[in-house]
Amino acid sequence: MGIPFEGNNLSLFWHGFVQTVLLSGASALLALVLGTLLAACRVSPVPVLRAFGTGWVGVFRNTPLTLLFFAVTFGLPRVDVHLSAFVCAMLALGCYTGSFVCEVLRAGINTVPIGQAEAARSLGMTFGQTLTLVVLPQAGRAVLGPLSSVFIALPRNSAIAGAFNVAELYSVQQTLSEQGYAIFAIFFWIALAYLCISATVGLLFRGLERRLAVGA
Amino acid sequence: MTETTTERPATPLVVLSGVNKSFGAHHVLQDIDLTVHQGEVVVLIGPSGSGKSTLCRTVNRLETIDSGSITVAGSPLPAEGRELARLRAEVGMVFQSFNLFAHKTVLENVVLGQVKVRRTARAEAETKARSLLERVGMAAHADKYPAQLSGGQQQRVAIARALAMDPKVLLFDEPTSALDPEMITEVLDVMRALAAEGMTMVVVTHEMGFARSAANRVLFLADGRIVEENTPEEFFTNPRSERAKDFLSKILHH
Ligand SMILES: Nc1ncnc2c1ncn2[C@@H]1O[C@H](COP(=O)(O)OP(=O)(O)OP(=O)(O)O)[C@@H](O)[C@H]1O
Ligand SMILES: [Mg+2]
């Protein structure tokens, strides 16, 4: 069972772990920015933006993630866009997760009383200011729970990147089983590593919830 | 009556002419003509559903109109966008349900518009916010969140928030209807003080005491029309129209 502590397995493990954390972190950031922009589009008074938001979410939320990885990894080079495997994985994961973030935020926006936006507009705030200063901060708070589920799922979803040439945590499994280690033992350690990442994300959100609850 | 009107410099500040508004087939505002002069306090009164809120909200274009025109300080209301945002900063609004920003402290509520809309420096905005809170008797609560305040306290903060923009006119939509009786007075006192200082105000309210002591004119709305326009004293003691008589007998008897 002590696989990680044999030979240079530890550094292999560590490298995979770091790659998974980096990939998840970068994708989470992209998803958050993209999801917020998409949510803004979906509630905006401009019909073209609303249609764009709806279309984006429709496509990316309903396409299997593996298919998105395929599209980015093999589709982009065809139109002469050459990106590293890591960036491809980040794009696929970020765009996919962003559509979920958008829908969660939109549900949150609907919980904010209409009077909040009316008060902001009455003060002379523009649509963008009303959204970013008044509506979204309250919407975000209201949906921290569902949002944490989306971001806890992200590191697990990132395992697909292992099949697309990113040397992340899950791909360590392949290397080790080629070396002849018992498959169950390998999976035990890898699962434990994913658990650590997810638990950390969960804790971060719980901390955030506690800190923001003061202002409610 | 004529004395008070001639004393007043008659600068028209808010002018509605031939305003019509429908929600679907429901004709909510019908040919409304109304001029509010600088420094004037106009009270809108009328049965539920008569269009008081809608009329109030058309003035800062929270409700759009179907026909007619509205001008504020001489310029017609622009279409949605930056121009309209700029104009809204000049027209303060106080809501029945307060609508303080729930995630901001009392002080932040009064600072936000100044900093983000007026681009006032933060320190200056805070000083002004504190003095406005002092004025409405809420200085001691500057660091609390809206949920920690009573309705009357929230409404006074909402008035301070509106005043922070130095509006040309203040709109009040039933500012005391959601309050317990003992809190109504504290809000009305603030509003009376504003009226006495010459603030231009359009107030939807059924508070007769306020109308009598602070209003220059009372407009009685029914079914989307201005049915009667009168001085407060005349309106409450000697209404001309049947609709107003009927309405007053109902609110006086409960
Ligand atoms: N957004 C809306 N959509 C459809 N109908 C509306 C809308 N807002 C108001 N109405 C209708 O317009 C009419 C006038 O409403 P308004 O709120 O202006 O009345 P009010 O005089 O303020 O009444 P209250 O004293 O109950 O506040 C009512 O019949 C109302 O049902
Ligand atoms: Mg109303």
Side-chain angles (χ1 to χ4, degrees):
Chain A
M1 281 302 274
I3 309 171
F5 311 107
E6 291 170 25
N8 86 31
N9 288 354
L10 191 59
S11 98
L12 189 70
F13 240 108
W14 179 245
H15 184 74
F17 184 79
V18 169
Q19 282 294 299
T20 290
V21 169
L22 285 179
L23 179 58
S24 303
S27 311
L29 210 63
L30 177 62
L32 196 62
V33 172
L34 194 65
T36 308
L37 287 176
L38 286 169
C41 284
R42 294 207 68 174
V43 298
S44 100
V46 185
V48 182
L49 291 179
R50 275 205 304 273
F52 170 76
T54 312
W56 180 289
V57 170
V59 169
F60 282 88
R61 209 163 58 132
N62 296 314
T63 309
L65 184 53
T66 317
L67 220 59
L68 286 180
F69 268 92
F70 261 109
V72 174
T73 312
F74 303 113
L76 288 183
R78 294 217 168 184
V79 290
D80 238 13
V81 178
H82 299 277
L83 302 168
S84 72
F86 184 90
V87 174
C88 284
M90 183 192 83
L91 284 178
L93 274 169
C95 293
Y96 177 77
T97 311
S99 65
F100 286 89
V101 171
C102 165
E103 288 307 277
V104 169
L105 279 180
R106 203 165 63 98
I109 288 171
N110 289 333
T111 70
V112 180
I114 187 80
Q116 293 285 309
E118 285 185 349
R121 289 160 69 204
S122 299
L123 286 178
M125 290 189 198
T126 59
F127 173 78
Q129 288 177 321
T130 301
L131 200 61
T132 54
L133 298 171
V134 175
V135 177
L136 276 177
Q138 295 185 58
R141 267 161 233 239
V143 295
L144 270 180
L147 214 51
S148 82
S149 304
V150 170
F151 284 109
I152 283 173
L154 178 56
R156 286 190 269 119
N157 289 338
S158 79
I160 296 176
F164 291 86
N165 287 326
V166 179
E168 49 69 76
L169 193 53
Y170 187 72
S171 72
V172 172
Q173 163 267 134
Q174 234 169 334
T175 319
L176 289 179
S177 54
E178 274 161 21
Q179 292 175 17
Y181 289 105
I183 195 84
F184 279 116
I186 301 170
F187 273 105
F188 170 78
W189 287 106
I190 288 179
L192 195 67
Y194 276 112
L195 189 69
C196 285
I197 298 174
S198 296
T200 308
V201 175
L203 277 176
L204 281 178
F205 268 93
R206 205 131 10 112
L208 206 61
E209 234 165 309
R210 209 168 310 130
R211 252 195 59 195
L212 294 177
V214 186
Chain B
M1 169 198 171
T2 38
E3 279 153 20
T4 50
T5 42
T6 45
E7 267 174 32
R8 200 163 297 285
T11 320
L13 193 53
V14 178
V15 180
L16 286 79
S17 58
V19 168
N20 281 278
K21 163 85 185 175
S22 300
F23 288 113
H26 190 169
H27 201 167
V28 180
L29 296 179
Q30 307 187 25
D31 299 314
I32 301 285
D33 293 307
L34 165 63
T35 302
V36 182
H37 296 95
Q38 178 131 34
E40 201 178 15
V41 177
V42 173
V43 160
L44 295 177
I45 195 166
S48 179
S50 56
K52 307 179 297 291
S53 299
T54 310
L55 176 57
C56 210
R57 290 158 57 88
T58 56
V59 176
N60 68 354
R61 214 171 181 275
L62 281 181
E63 277 328 327
T64 55
I65 56 175
D66 301 333
S67 65
S69 76
I70 301 178
T71 62
V72 174
S75 36
L77 291 189
E80 199 73 42
R82 272 174 201 283
E83 277 293 302
L84 181 62
R86 238 191 306 279
L87 181 126
R88 282 193 180 126
E90 310 289 337
V91 181
M93 178 126 194
V94 176
F95 302 84
Q96 179 174 356
S97 50
F98 330 129
N99 297 344
L100 289 181
F101 303 133
H103 62 306
K104 300 272 184 198
T105 62
V106 163
L107 185 71
E108 280 300 313
N109 263 278
V110 186
V111 163
L112 195 65
Q114 297 183 65
V115 171
K116 299 296 179 180
V117 176
R118 295 286 193 214
R119 305 280 167 203
T120 311
R122 194 166 180 94
E124 194 184 323
E126 277 192 18
T127 311
K128 183 170 178 181
R130 286 191 195 281
S131 86
L132 284 170
L133 287 172
E134 186 76 56
R135 190 161 145 199
V136 299
M138 289 297 295
H141 304 277
D143 296 322
K144 289 190 180 162
Y145 284 91
Q148 298 167 303
L149 304 176
S150 74
Q153 292 174 323
Q154 289 188 56
Q155 195 60 297
R156 285 184 282 149
V157 174
I159 293 173
R161 176 176 69 177
L163 288 175
M165 308 304 288
D166 295 320
K168 293 198 172 89
V169 51
L170 272 181
L171 310 169
F172 294 81
D173 188 3
E174 304 211 28
T176 57
S177 307
L179 301 177
D180 293 336
E182 66 267 31
M183 296 172 198
I184 292 180
T185 325
E186 66 189 45
V187 172
L188 291 180
D189 284 346
V190 169
M191 290 169 59
R192 266 194 209 97
L194 283 175
E197 288 163 31
M199 175 59 80
T200 310
M201 295 159 62
V202 175
V203 186
V204 177
T205 185
H206 292 162
E207 293 294 332
M208 253 184 294
F210 174 80
R212 280 198 146 113
S213 64
N216 301 100
R217 268 192 293 160
V218 171
L219 300 187
F220 178 70
L221 243 77
D223 300 326
R225 289 180 187 280
I226 296 177
V227 174
E228 183 164 344
E229 181 172 343
N230 218 329
T231 60
E233 209 44 55
E234 275 292 301
F235 180 77
F236 290 114
T237 53
N238 193 15
R240 291 191 293 257
S241 60
E242 282 308 312
R243 286 299 302 263
K245 280 178 194 157
D246 185 46
F247 173 76
L248 284 174
S249 73
K250 277 177 193 144
I251 63 165
L252 289 176
H253 285 150
H254 82 234

